[in-house]
Structures are given as structure tokens and as C-alpha cells.
Amino acid sequence: MNDDRIKKLLQDALGPVAEGEPRRDLWAEVLDKIARDSAVSPASVPWLDWALLAGIALALLAFPAGLPVVLYYM
Amino acid sequence: MPDDAIGVVDRVQQGGPATAAGVLDRFRQGDPDAFEIVFRAHQRAIYGWLLRMVRNPAAAEDLTVETFWRIYRAHARFDPGREFLPWARRAATRVALDWMRRQKPEVAIAAEIDADLPAADPALRAEIRARVARAFARLPARLRLATVLAIMEEQPHKEIAAALGISRGAVKLRVFRALRLLRNDLEKQGIRP
């Protein structure tokens, strides 16, 4: 089977696609996706931030007297 | 969108230099209005490009949204001194490639078929088409993409190379490899010339 034969079989099998336009307004969907992306969710916070928060919480549990120092630096 | 912006979309589509450059510069700075103008000016071209690759209108619509979302996220990396469409096409091609990788090819059924039989039997022709389509779906996504653009859509190798971010030689190699794999697969399925 030569390449031309395979090309012909492929063109026959997959056929041409009709040129056209999107059938719905995609701009609204793009905006929705951008809005969803910019909303802060737990999954979007980097793991390092969570680790830092957990470290501070543990340190405060271990040394409650350090709370005023933490508040001072916030 | 305001009426005056519609005129800007037309000028951006036609590549009006001063207006287009201004809009693209504002887009690069993250201006949402400029992004909408860029979207309106290029959505049809990007949708058409995606449709050629994925050959499914509903999927092409979803992937157009995904492409422009990625474009928006990457706005700061756009170089306003270069053309927008090739850059956007490249983003769309990556999106299409990801989509093609997620698609699972169907399992083939084997029985000997002579592909050169007279086209009198529509059922047989349909069976051959189905087997060829399934064999094609089993190719690696990057080979399929190059083949669709080069053989089905007859796009210039230069344009395909730009969209895929590879050399023209690499495009030819991918098409060659795709045809070779396809030939082997079809012969295993019993489709012979």
C-alpha cells in the first residue's frame, strides 16, 4: 500500500470539515472561565503558603506567648 | 461592545497597523477591553483552525474558549512587535494537542477487506472508512495533528511548523511516520490495496 493510497483512504475516511463560525457566544464563556480562574480557591493557593500557615499555627500552639509578636509583624 | 469598538475589530482583523498595534499593546498590558477586541477579531480564525485539527464543532467551540483563556493568562508574554494570529494559533495547537491526547481511540475489529473493491457496496466502504478512522485515532496525537493539517487540510508545511513550534523537516518526518504506522495498522487489520 503506497502513501498516495493511504492519503486517499484517509481523506475518504475523515472527510472535509465545513468552514463555519461558533454556534454560540463564546465571549461570555471566556469571561466566566477567567472569573473562575481569578477567584481564590483552596486549590489555587500554593502548597508553600499552606505549609507556612500550618507552621505558624503549630508555633502559636506550642508558644502562645508569641502571639503578640506575630500580630505585631502582620 | 460599543459601536466604535466594532470598527476597531474590523481594522484589527484587516491588520490595520496603527490601530492593531495600539490594541495589541493594550492587550499585552492586560486591558480587558483590548482583550475583547482581540477576541472578536480573531475568534473565527482560531475556531476554524481548531475545527480543522479536532474535526468536531462542539469540541472546537470548547477549545476556542480554552485557547483564549490561555491567551489571556499569557498576555504579558505577547510581543506586540509580532503578529497576533500565529502566536494565537500556536496556543490553539497546544490546546488541540492536549485534547487529542485525552481522547481514547476505539478498539479495532479485524476481518479481511479489500480496499480496492469497486465502490458498489456502501456498507463495505463505510466499514473501510470506519477502520481507517479508528487506525488514525490510534496514532500518537502529535503525528495525527501534523497529518491532519498536512494531508486533510493541505496547509503549507511552513504554517504547520510555526503552529507546532517545530521545523519544516520535523513536520515532514511526522507525516511520514504517521503514514508508515497507519499502513502497518491497516495491513494488520486486513485492509490491503
Side-chain angles (χ1 to χ4, degrees):
Chain A
M1 198 183 292
N2 63 30
D3 283 356
D4 289 339
R5 179 82 188 119
I6 296 177
K7 284 178 189 174
K8 194 170 173 302
L9 282 175
L10 257 183
Q11 283 164 344
D12 192 35
L14 301 184
V17 285
E19 287 287 321
E21 290 192 36
R23 293 160 300 182
R24 56 183 206 257
D25 180 21
L26 302 179
W27 175 241
E29 291 182 40
V30 173
L31 285 182
D32 279 352
K33 200 163 169 58
I34 291 170
R36 279 200 307 274
D37 184 50
S38 56
V40 178
S41 69
S44 67
V45 177
W47 67 269
L48 193 62
D49 291 0
W50 287 118
L52 193 62
L53 190 66
I56 292 171
L58 284 174
L60 285 177
L61 278 174
F63 309 103
L67 183 61
V69 179
V70 172
L71 290 177
Y72 176 77
Y73 281 104
M74 279 181 81
Chain B
M1 181 183 252
D3 286 346
D4 59 333
I6 293 169
V8 175
V9 169
D10 291 340
R11 288 197 292 278
V12 171
Q13 276 175 332
Q14 290 153 12
T19 316
V23 169
L24 290 175
D25 200 34
R26 280 167 44 218
F27 157 71
R28 186 180 172 274
Q29 290 162 19
D31 179 345
D33 292 336
F35 177 54
E36 183 177 1
I37 292 169
V38 168
F39 172 83
R40 303 268 180 216
H42 297 289
Q43 68 156 333
R44 189 176 174 185
I46 294 301
Y47 169 78
W49 182 253
L50 283 161
L51 185 58
R52 285 174 184 156
M53 291 186 284
V54 302
R55 315 183 80 74
N56 174 334
E61 286 173 354
D62 292 344
L63 297 180
T64 303
V65 172
E66 172 79 18
T67 299
F68 276 98
W69 173 68
R70 288 196 194 182
I71 285 172
Y72 180 76
R73 279 166 43 125
H75 62 81
R77 292 201 295 275
F78 175 67
D79 175 3
R82 304 181 75 174
E83 281 187 67
F84 178 81
L85 195 55
W87 184 70
R89 269 189 183 170
R90 201 162 163 179
T93 306
R94 282 195 293 269
V95 169
L97 199 54
D98 291 345
W99 181 85
M100 287 167 97
R101 284 183 175 135
R102 289 197 300 270
Q103 304 306 302
K104 288 182 183 161
E106 295 170 49
V107 180
I109 314 149
E112 288 271 314
I113 290 181
D114 189 339
D116 267 357
L117 278 176
D121 186 351
L124 185 61
R125 280 178 63 85
E127 175 62 22
I128 292 171
R129 277 201 297 271
R131 287 190 188 191
V132 172
R134 282 197 298 262
F136 186 68
R138 280 192 292 271
L139 292 177
R142 62 199 172 88
L143 301 189
R144 246 183 302 153
L145 195 52
T147 309
V148 162
L149 292 173
I151 292 177
M152 255 69 82
E153 299 301 328
E154 296 176 335
Q155 295 291 310
H157 283 175
K158 187 181 170 190
E159 213 163 280
I160 301 170
L164 290 171
I166 58 177
S167 68
R168 273 189 272 186
V171 172
K172 286 181 190 169
L173 191 63
R174 284 188 187 185
V175 174
F176 171 79
R177 286 191 58 210
L179 293 178
R180 197 179 54 184
L181 289 172
L182 204 55
R183 179 168 56 226
N184 292 342
D185 194 336
L186 292 177
E187 283 174 357
K188 271 185 206 161
Q189 287 192 66
I191 297 181
R192 50 196 164 72

